[in-house]
Amino acid sequence: RAELEYAYRFRHDSDTIEIGPNAALGNIGYKNNLSTHSLMLSGFYDFDISSKWEPYVGLGVGWARNHSEYTRAPNINNPDQTIESDVDNLAYSFQAGARYPFSSEWVGELGYRFINFGEVDSGTFSGGDSVTADHHYSHDIVLGMSYLY
């Protein structure tokens, strides 16, 4: 079976502090509000084990756009600076779980999904610094109901 999914994930906030070289320069704080748009095409293999429970595994591939809104707070003497950045990435996923038919039309699902949404980048601040992450991962528990027609 196959699945085409669009998803929007929002408000993944993170804070980072860069410790200054001495007390006079102070620390630099970075705050990121990360959101991700993704479009994934997944293929699933359902195992027939002669039971009502039907285990499955799946692989997915698609596109992800990571949108970052970074705020840099250098120290008391300098104003905060906020910049936004978008990075388009190849995304991929691995999935496993089980489905259970409640009737001929309704099927329940419980599963796990790992997704790599790719790189995150702040862009470049006025001081020439930037914040990057090579990978933005998500570990999801999937609980769902499907209607078959």
Side-chain angles (χ1 to χ4, degrees), residues 9 112-117 136-140:
R9 296 167 184 250
Y112 166 79
R113 176 171 54 184
F114 165 83
I115 303 176
N116 182 349
F117 292 112
H136 171 41
Y137 298 130
S138 180
H139 297 273
D140 301 339

Side-chain angles (χ1 to χ4, degrees), residues 4-149:
L4 180 65
E5 174 192 65
Y6 166 78
Y8 175 64
R9 296 167 184 250
F10 60 96
R11 295 293 309 186
H12 175 85
D13 297 335
S14 63
D15 297 334
T16 306
I17 295 176
E18 179 182 342
I19 305 299
N22 60 50
L25 294 177
N27 299 330
I28 299 174
Y30 298 92
K31 295 182 180 187
N32 184 20
N33 178 3
L34 175 65
S35 61
T36 302
H37 292 272
S38 63
L39 184 63
M40 301 290 293
L41 177 61
S42 298
F44 297 90
Y45 179 78
D46 298 310
F47 296 94
D48 183 5
I49 60 169
S50 300
S51 167
K52 281 223 167 218
W53 288 97
E54 188 174 81
Y56 67 84
V57 292
L59 297 172
V61 66
W63 159 86
R65 172 172 286 166
N66 293 320
H67 175 81
S68 291
E69 183 179 310
Y70 267 97
T71 300
R72 178 183 188 263
N75 55 39
I76 304 168
N77 301 324
N78 295 311
D80 291 358
Q81 180 185 4
T82 299
I83 59 176
E84 296 186 31
S85 174
D86 289 318
V87 180
D88 290 320
N89 296 289
L90 176 68
Y92 60 89
S93 67
F94 304 103
Q95 298 144 96
R99 294 165 45 102
Y100 184 86
F102 291 103
S103 70
S104 60
E105 292 89 17
W106 290 98
V107 178
E109 174 181 0
L110 177 63
Y112 166 79
R113 176 171 54 184
F114 165 83
I115 303 176
N116 182 349
F117 292 112
E119 183 180 321
V120 177
D121 188 354
S122 67
T124 305
F125 291 98
S126 60
D129 53 336
S130 65
V131 179
T132 62
D134 291 335
H135 303 284
H136 171 41
Y137 298 130
S138 180
H139 297 273
D140 301 339
I141 300 297
V142 177
L143 179 62
M145 287 290 280
S146 298
Y147 180 76
L148 308 174
Y149 53 92

